[in-house]
Amino acid sequence: MMQKGQAWKWIVVSMKSPIFGPPEIDSVEGTSTSIKCYYPPTSVNRHSRKYWCRQGPKGQCITLISSNGYVSKDYEGRANLTNFPESGTFVVNVDHLIQGDSGSYKCGVGINNRGLSFDVRLRVVPGSGVLNGTQVYAEDLGGKVSISCPFTSANLPNVKSVCKQIADKHCVRVIDSAGYKEPSYEGRAKLIIQGTTQTEFFFIIDQLQVEDDGKYVCQAGDDSSGDKSNVDLHVLKPEPELVYADLGSSVRFDCALGPEVVNVAKFLCQKNKEKTCNLVANTLGQRNQTFKGRILSQNNNGVFSVDITNLRKEDAGLYLCGANSDGQPQKSRPIQAWQLFVNEETTFPSRPSVVKGVVGGSVAVLCPYNPKEVNSVKSWCRWEDTQNGGCPLLVQSTGLVKNQYEQYNGRLVLYDEPGNGTYTVILNQLTAQDAGFYWCLTNGDIHWRSTVELKIVEGQPNLKVPKTVNVELGETVQLTCHSPCKFYSYKKFWCKWTDQGCSALPSQDEGSGQAVVNCDQNSQLINLTLKQVTKGDEGWYWCGVKEGLQYKETVAVYVAVKEKGTGSGALSSVRAAAAEDVIETSVRKVDRKVVQDPRLFVDTQAKDPEDAAGGSIASADPGSSAGQGGSSKVVVSTLVPLALVLALGVLVVGVLRARHRKNVDRISIRSYRTDISMSDFENSRDFGANDNMGASPVSQETTLGGKDEFIATTENTVETEEPKKAKRSSKEEADMAYTAFLLQANNMAANIQDGPSKA
């Protein structure tokens, strides 16, 4: 607490040195003072010399006491220095102060005048009492003072008054017995005259303010023959508590003003250079927008606590806490003060204050904690910009908070990784409503608290999966996650989400469990296979990527397990999102290739709306009625040439089918089927994959919308020789001839329809 005669002023503190202490100390003669100095608690600083020196007229700083055991003659028997390396502080205590101790000092680490020091001004003033005929009073800010004003009996009937001296020895009247009172003293000051025979009156000031400090003159009678007495009033401000914090860290102010104001609104304000105090927060829910997203406050059992995180260098300065009915700063009592120093030469881990995500995407937030508190409970909360404020918990290291389950089901998880002072919070399936501020918390050291702002920007998620997959009991389902090429070198993973976290699923090489993961690096597909699905397999599954130990992006898919006969099956349900994009792109490219290849035929006259919409690829059907509906003349005029071409085609097919057959890949789309060599495609990128020259074609069934639909995929192989050019099989040559025949027949039919005479 502040000692009698102490006062404090607004001092601009230099931040160039990491050493910090009280900028100014006022003490009363005969008392003692304690100077606490902070230093960065590095291993070097903890063992370095600490000193307290006095600056001389030539700029030299003469050591008075040091941690090496040195004590000057002036300080012998009345001073000591104690180092506290665990907290990075040392304290200098000086007793029996005299006015000669007033002056400029430095507290520092290492060698004098080497820069690792802090300037301190010490002023020692006379003690209370009568000094050179002047009455000295010293009272605390917000307190009450009763000043005695004696006079002679000759001035008993005359007017009593009190004035305050200002510049140029001018004295401004404050109050008198005739009823006058200066406005700034209204409701706070009064004169008491006890009876008509007393030769003393009292000047009483309540709720002392800083401006009340100064010299007064008590007077009875007029200026020429009146009795006067001089008064020196010192309004003592509380000595600020020193608070040392690193840039980017957090700090807490606990304001406990006592039971007399337990039900009165409290405020915290920051003093500026203009000597005004700007509101930071109060118990009425008001908060300064300068601290938006960085401040948390609570009022429990009469203690008003304010946390400020992500500290900036402009946060340094003097903070005051007081009580007032409207919650606004005012000069009142009781009051608490803190002097905050922000160390810019910090080792506190840097991290982004803003993270950006897109609708449907995800963010991974890195949260710091004290590495010595590995077992502390980690938490994540959402900061509320409301009158009541607060930060409701969303997830902890023990799992999702129960009352947040509905809103964050399948979307939120907290990992202890990467560890060593950092944990990760992942939020996916982002919406525009997720934008805002979030806090990283632990139940340990509050200085490691931090906040991050989440901004939702335009864009598309990098990872793509179906939103929902329906599968029947006992079936096998494969979930496909597509990732862009920029994630090629990242580690891919699948995990199953629960309210306790997201448990990683074993890879194909790790075991033969029900769920296995495999990743085709060339196609950038991450496939999760669930075998013999049970009801317990239902739920949210996450696909994600990691760079080292750091999580990057994730995406979620919900697997719904149904009784047999109630769903469309697992294969048909996986055609959404990423798998659908890859397949449809492949089909479109196959479609374009077929039109250019005379061996294939595209039925562009299909009447089935589903086939027309789907762009189906089909072999021609000799029994098709696509050419019907014309006039009888058209039929007769085309019959003879058609029969001749048909006979020729049958002859060619018979000869070619007798040759050696070779395996080919088969692709079937909807109810049509044809043979296509994988070499007909421009390259394997038609399937959404990377170039895979020399890959062997392997047929694999994949749904496109029906149970009898398939698509060809490629399987990675490694070849050391140049792949040989594939020879065309007899069946391929037969199909070429057959397709050419159909194309010619179709063209002839089209020409005849345009005009029988031309045919």
Side-chain angles (χ1 to χ4, degrees):
M1 292 300 292
M2 187 74 182
Q3 298 178 12
K4 294 293 183 179
Q6 286 182 324
W8 117 80
K9 299 179 180 179
W10 173 250
I11 298 294
V12 178
V13 178
S14 172
M15 299 300 173
K16 294 182 179 179
S17 171
I19 309 300
F20 170 61
E24 187 177 63
I25 300 174
D26 287 349
S27 295
V28 178
E29 186 175 20
T31 62
S32 62
T33 187
S34 181
I35 306 101
K36 178 186 286 188
C37 292
Y38 290 80
Y39 59 87
T42 63
S43 58
V44 174
N45 288 340
R46 282 195 291 263
H47 298 89
S48 295
R49 169 180 176 264
K50 317 304 184 297
Y51 64 88
W52 172 254
C53 65
R54 184 168 184 172
Q55 299 187 68
K58 296 182 180 181
Q60 294 181 342
C61 201
I62 302 173
T63 303
L64 299 178
I65 189 170
S66 73
S67 59
N68 292 343
Y70 173 78
V71 180
S72 68
K73 292 182 179 181
D74 291 340
Y75 271 31
E76 283 183 357
R78 65 186 187 105
N80 61 75
L81 187 152
T82 306
N83 183 32
F84 299 94
E86 65 280 355
S87 60
T89 62
F90 67 93
V91 178
V92 178
N93 295 305
V94 183
D95 299 329
H96 311 297
L97 290 170
I98 59 176
Q99 293 189 50
D101 290 327
S102 298
S104 297
Y105 296 80
K106 286 181 181 291
C107 63
V109 175
I111 302 175
N112 298 19
N113 300 318
R114 289 294 180 90
L116 289 178
S117 61
F118 187 84
D119 292 336
V120 180
R121 189 187 67 81
L122 174 62
R123 186 180 67 172
V124 181
V125 299
S128 300
V130 178
L131 180 63
N132 298 327
T134 299
Q135 298 183 74
V136 179
Y137 291 87
E139 296 294 340
D140 293 331
L141 178 68
K144 180 179 180 180
V145 64
S146 179
I147 298 172
S148 173
C149 298
F151 60 90
T152 63
S153 58
N155 285 308
L156 278 172
N158 296 330
V159 175
K160 292 23 173 228
S161 64
V162 178
C163 65
K164 184 177 182 181
Q165 290 184 349
I166 57 174
D168 301 328
K169 298 183 179 180
H170 180 62
C171 201
V172 178
R173 181 164 293 193
V174 173
I175 191 172
D176 62 31
S177 58
Y180 173 79
K181 188 179 296 183
E182 202 272 334
S184 63
Y185 290 85
E186 191 67 41
R188 302 190 302 116
K190 61 183 177 180
L191 288 180
I192 296 180
I193 303 174
Q194 298 177 344
T196 58
T197 60
Q198 297 292 330
T199 57
E200 181 184 30
F201 69 91
F202 294 92
F203 173 43
I204 298 175
I205 308 176
D206 200 2
Q207 301 176 23
L208 284 169
Q209 300 178 1
V210 175
E211 291 77 11
D212 295 334
D213 189 281
K215 298 183 181 298
Y216 294 82
V217 176
C218 297
Q219 183 173 328
D222 55 28
D223 292 338
S224 59
S225 60
D227 297 318
K228 298 179 181 179
S229 59
N230 296 323
V231 176
D232 194 358
L233 174 61
H234 297 282
V235 177
L236 307 178
K237 306 167 189 176
E239 182 179 354
E241 178 184 346
L242 301 181
V243 180
Y244 188 94
D246 288 320
L247 188 70
S249 66
S250 298
V251 67
R252 171 177 291 179
F253 301 111
D254 286 323
C255 181
L257 300 178
E260 63 271 20
V261 292
V262 66
N263 296 319
V264 181
K266 299 171 184 63
F267 63 84
L268 178 72
C269 63
Q270 183 185 20
K271 200 93 169 181
N272 58 29
K273 295 180 181 179
E274 286 71 34
K275 297 185 179 180
T276 58
C277 206
N278 298 324
L279 179 70
V280 175
N282 61 25
T283 54
L284 300 180
Q286 297 173 320
R287 290 180 285 197
N288 192 324
Q289 289 300 302
T290 304
F291 297 90
K292 183 177 181 180
R294 300 194 298 123
I295 187 171
L296 276 180
S297 60
Q298 56 182 343
N299 188 25
N300 294 324
N301 301 322
V303 178
F304 180 43
S305 298
V306 179
D307 290 351
I308 302 177
T309 189
N310 289 29
L311 285 173
R312 307 167 182 171
K313 60 181 181 181
E314 57 266 28
D315 294 332
L318 186 65
Y319 290 81
L320 303 177
C321 174
N324 189 20
S325 58
D326 62 1
Q328 295 300 312
Q330 73 168 15
K331 304 154 186 176
S332 62
R333 177 180 173 83
I335 198 168
Q336 282 182 254
W338 298 267
Q339 185 79 42
L340 172 63
F341 176 82
V342 178
N343 177 29
E344 298 179 40
E345 298 182 10
T346 177
T347 57
F348 196 80
S350 60
R351 63 201 177 282
S353 59
V354 176
V355 294
K356 297 179 180 180
V358 300
V359 173
S362 68
V363 290
V365 179
L366 293 177
C367 294
Y369 67 90
N370 191 334
K372 298 179 181 179
E373 299 176 342
V374 177
N375 297 322
S376 62
V377 177
K378 291 87 174 174
S379 307
W380 208 54
C381 68
R382 180 165 186 173
W383 185 83
E384 294 182 340
D385 191 12
T386 61
Q387 183 174 357
N388 295 329
C391 195
L393 291 180
L394 305 181
V395 65
Q396 295 181 295
S397 37
T398 54
L400 190 68
V401 177
K402 290 184 178 179
N403 58 4
Q404 302 292 343
Y405 189 85
E406 181 177 354
Q407 184 176 359
Y408 293 96
N409 179 27
R411 303 179 56 209
L412 184 61
V413 74
L414 187 152
Y415 287 110
D416 282 334
E417 297 180 11
N420 193 27
T422 306
Y423 64 94
T424 305
V425 176
I426 299 178
L427 177 63
N428 62 27
Q429 304 175 63
L430 292 173
T431 66
Q433 291 71 33
D434 290 324
F437 291 90
Y438 296 82
W439 277 55
C440 302
L441 310 171
T442 70
N443 63 347
D445 191 350
I446 64 170
H447 295 94
W448 289 78
R449 292 186 170 188
S450 63
T451 185
V452 64
E453 182 181 6
L454 170 59
K455 292 184 177 180
I456 303 299
V457 298
E458 294 183 358
Q460 295 294 326
N462 285 308
L463 302 178
K464 299 181 184 298
V465 296
K467 292 183 179 179
T468 304
V469 170
N470 297 313
V471 59
E472 293 183 355
L473 284 170
E475 288 188 335
T476 295
V477 63
Q478 185 180 75
L479 306 179
T480 299
C481 175
H482 183 266
S483 66
C485 292
K486 67 179 181 179
F487 292 150
Y488 179 85
S489 62
Y490 288 21
K491 180 181 178 181
K492 286 82 174 178
F493 68 91
W494 278 91
C495 65
K496 184 177 182 182
W497 185 93
T498 68
D499 58 1
Q500 303 298 314
C502 199
S503 302
L505 299 175
S507 67
Q508 200 169 36
D509 296 334
E510 291 177 339
S512 57
Q514 277 195 322
V516 295
V517 178
N518 65 79
C519 179
D520 184 349
Q521 293 286 6
N522 288 326
S523 65
Q524 293 296 294
L525 297 178
I526 314 161
N527 298 319
L528 169 67
T529 302
L530 300 176
K531 299 178 180 179
Q532 300 178 358
V533 172
T534 65
K535 199 65 178 176
D537 293 323
E538 186 171 74
W540 289 99
Y541 290 81
W542 284 18
C543 168
V545 295
K546 294 175 67 176
E547 185 178 20
L549 295 176
Q550 293 189 10
Y551 290 89
K552 292 301 181 181
E553 295 193 30
T554 60
V555 66
V557 56
Y558 188 80
V559 174
V561 180
K562 300 181 179 181
E563 298 291 338
K564 285 191 175 182
T566 61
S568 59
L571 292 177
S572 62
S573 65
V574 187
R575 79 180 279 237
E580 185 180 58
D581 291 341
V582 175
I583 295 170
E584 289 184 354
T585 301
S586 302
V587 171
R588 286 195 296 269
K589 292 185 178 181
V590 171
D591 192 0
R592 290 195 296 270
K593 186 66 179 179
V594 169
V595 173
Q596 298 171 3
D597 197 327
R599 296 176 297 154
L600 301 179
F601 177 75
V602 180
D603 184 7
T604 59
Q605 302 182 25
K607 300 302 180 181
D608 186 356
E610 184 176 355
D611 291 343
S616 302
I617 304 172
S619 61
D621 186 353
S624 171
S625 61
Q628 295 181 4
S631 64
S632 59
K633 292 181 180 181
V634 174
V635 175
V636 173
S637 62
T638 59
L639 182 60
V640 174
L642 186 62
L644 293 176
V645 174
L646 180 62
L648 178 61
V650 171
L651 180 62
V652 172
V653 169
V655 174
L656 296 178
R657 285 186 178 275
R659 297 181 179 182
H660 176 69
R661 294 174 177 270
K662 190 174 184 178
N663 292 332
V664 297
D665 297 317
R666 181 175 299 275
I667 179 169
S668 177
I669 300 179
R670 296 214 179 264
S671 60
Y672 303 95
R673 175 170 295 174
T674 186
D675 293 323
I676 303 174
S677 172
M678 288 298 290
S679 63
D680 292 331
F681 295 104
E682 292 176 354
N683 54 49
S684 59
R685 289 186 183 274
D686 292 341
F687 288 108
N690 294 332
D691 291 340
N692 189 24
M693 301 302 295
S696 300
V698 179
S699 180
Q700 177 181 341
E701 291 185 299
T702 308
T703 48
L704 284 177
K707 293 183 179 180
D708 57 346
E709 296 173 0
F710 305 94
I711 186 167
T713 62
T714 60
E715 182 180 278
N716 296 331
T717 59
V718 178
E719 296 188 9
T720 58
E721 299 180 2
E722 184 73 19
K724 297 180 180 180
K725 185 175 181 180
K727 295 182 179 179
R728 189 168 283 130
S729 68
S730 60
K731 189 173 184 301
E732 285 177 304
E733 294 176 353
D735 286 346
M736 285 180 58
Y738 184 56
T739 302
F741 151 71
L742 292 177
L743 287 172
Q744 183 179 1
N746 247 25
N747 290 334
M748 293 176 62
N751 291 333
I752 293 173
Q753 289 177 359
D754 292 339
S757 60
K758 293 181 181 181

